[in-house]
Amino acid sequence: SPEIAPFEERWYQPDGALDSAGSYARPTNAWWTNFVLGRGPSEMEDGNGFQIPFVMWPAMRGMSAAIPFVLAQANQIENGFDSNINFVTLGAADVAVGHRVINHDALTVTLEWDAKAGKGGANARMPIVRGSPYLTMEYRDATPVFDTPQMLDPQHGIKVDGVEQQCPGTFEGSRFDVVLVQSDETWTIWSSHKLTVACQEMGALLRSKHKITGVVRAAVTNNCTLGRSAFHCAKKPPADPEPPRFEKVLDEHHGTYPIGAEVSLTRAGNDSVVRIIWESKSMPYPEHEDIYGKPPPGRATLALVAMEHHRKLGLCD
């Protein structure tokens, strides 16, 4: 397809030019390298990477993500994920198929999708950050889409600004909570601007009816919503629904998001010191005219996730 960005254009800077990190070299063993090596329109097979907590891969006009699960045998433990059904995609309807890297550092990479030919200046970019429990997409004159092959739960399918609604339908709001049947996950979507979205049940889809210049974020606020998950419920299904333990903290911190990180390693006596300085932005609510958000006022608090060995090393203090 002529819309697909040529493989050699996956880098914003051509070969022989300095990249965003001031280097002529291109990373060959970064945690996100697969995002630019994948070929084909879906890229699921060879384009995924473990961002923590999501396994992610570039979709045609956005980024797909799945919560991984443990596959254990007598002598083998694997991190599995489902790229057929149990995933979601956050993207834009009016950008061309194909993405490129526009920025990267030790803990982040930013991918960008440009406008289709003849479709004006529509643009979408996603800062992908290790340890971020959110998917974050920045839009410039583009139409947000949240898509999945899963079904909406017919009884608890969608809430719009806290009010239960029924799909199919058209609703206006800035927060959308969707309960998905196959994964038993509740995904919450926050928008910097009021969206009028069309919703459907089969292959749950939220598509904005208009373009925005702003930010949309999405996160899993419960992965055992109705006790049906074979991997994430405390008991084997059918189990009791579990409370959304992380909904409150995710809601409180959705307004500030990281876009870059500076990592330094130093020695202090017999100890080693790992220092991470995060660069962040705030959601550009309608009273602001910033294209991609604005610097947060003062010192912002970011919500990030960590593995157990990170906690034991004190990286969360």
Side-chain angles (χ1 to χ4, degrees):
S1 169
E3 287 186 334
I4 298 177
F7 181 71
E8 61 271 15
E9 293 183 10
R10 290 290 170 81
W11 301 96
Y12 188 75
Q13 296 83 0
D15 287 341
L18 290 171
D19 69 4
S20 59
S23 172
Y24 288 102
R26 301 294 184 255
T28 57
N29 195 33
W31 58 270
W32 49 265
T33 299
N34 278 356
F35 296 164
V36 294
L37 296 182
R39 298 173 183 267
S42 68
E43 312 203 4
M44 294 180 188
E45 300 303 322
D46 54 1
N48 67 78
F50 188 30
Q51 166 265 351
I52 307 174
F54 302 111
V55 175
M56 301 179 68
W57 59 93
M60 296 176 70
R61 295 183 177 90
M63 204 73 184
S64 296
I67 293 287
F69 46 81
V70 175
L71 296 173
Q73 301 177 15
N75 59 354
Q76 184 175 342
I77 297 178
E78 294 180 282
N79 198 25
F81 71 102
D82 181 355
S83 62
N84 295 315
I85 298 292
N86 293 347
F87 69 92
V88 304
T89 300
L90 180 62
D94 36 17
V95 294
V97 174
H99 59 282
R100 56 176 52 88
V101 173
I102 63 168
N103 193 29
H104 64 88
D105 54 46
L107 295 177
T108 76
V109 61
T110 300
L111 304 184
E112 182 179 65
W113 291 258
D114 287 325
K116 296 179 184 178
K119 293 293 184 179
N123 174 280
R125 60 173 61 171
M126 176 174 282
I128 303 170
V129 180
R130 291 216 101 174
S132 175
Y134 304 90
L135 307 180
T136 305
M137 188 70 85
E138 301 174 324
Y139 297 89
R140 183 182 64 193
D141 196 30
T143 304
V145 175
F146 181 83
D147 193 10
T148 176
Q150 301 178 69
M151 293 175 55
L152 281 176
D153 184 86
Q155 294 184 332
H156 309 276
I158 183 171
K159 288 184 180 179
V160 180
D161 290 342
V163 179
E164 290 191 4
Q165 304 286 356
Q166 292 293 320
C167 289
T170 301
F171 312 104
E172 183 183 66
S174 57
R175 171 174 168 161
F176 306 87
D177 299 89
V178 293
V179 179
L180 305 176
V181 171
Q182 285 84 349
S183 64
D184 201 25
E185 294 168 355
T186 299
W187 279 81
T188 299
I189 302 99
W190 298 269
S191 173
S192 59
H193 295 60
K194 285 279 188 182
L195 296 180
T196 300
V197 301
C199 168
Q200 67 183 43
E201 289 181 340
M202 300 295 293
L205 171 70
L206 296 177
R207 175 169 174 165
S208 175
K209 303 286 281 187
H210 54 83
K211 301 173 183 288
I212 69 166
T213 294
V215 177
V216 173
R217 307 195 78 193
V220 176
T221 47
N222 196 338
N223 60 4
C224 182
T225 305
L226 299 173
R228 295 186 297 225
S229 174
F231 299 105
H232 297 122
C233 291
K235 299 179 181 179
K236 290 185 178 181
D240 294 329
E242 296 181 9
R245 292 178 294 163
F246 305 112
E247 178 184 6
K248 185 174 185 292
V249 68
L250 289 168
D251 186 55
E252 288 175 348
H253 294 87
H254 78 271
T256 303
Y257 59 98
I259 60 169
E262 179 183 334
V263 181
S264 63
L265 305 175
T266 57
R267 187 179 71 178
N270 293 326
D271 295 326
S272 59
V273 178
V274 180
R275 181 178 176 85
I276 303 173
I277 300 176
W278 294 99
E279 182 183 359
S280 61
K281 288 183 180 179
S282 290
M283 295 270 272
Y285 294 103
E287 61 269 21
H288 303 289
E289 296 181 356
D290 308 78
I291 292 178
Y292 287 136
K294 62 187 184 67
R299 184 173 180 176
T301 300
L302 298 173
L304 298 168
V305 300
M307 292 184 171
E308 186 59 26
H309 62 280
H310 297 152
R311 297 172 60 86
K312 290 180 178 179
L313 288 172
L315 294 179
C316 301
D317 296 339

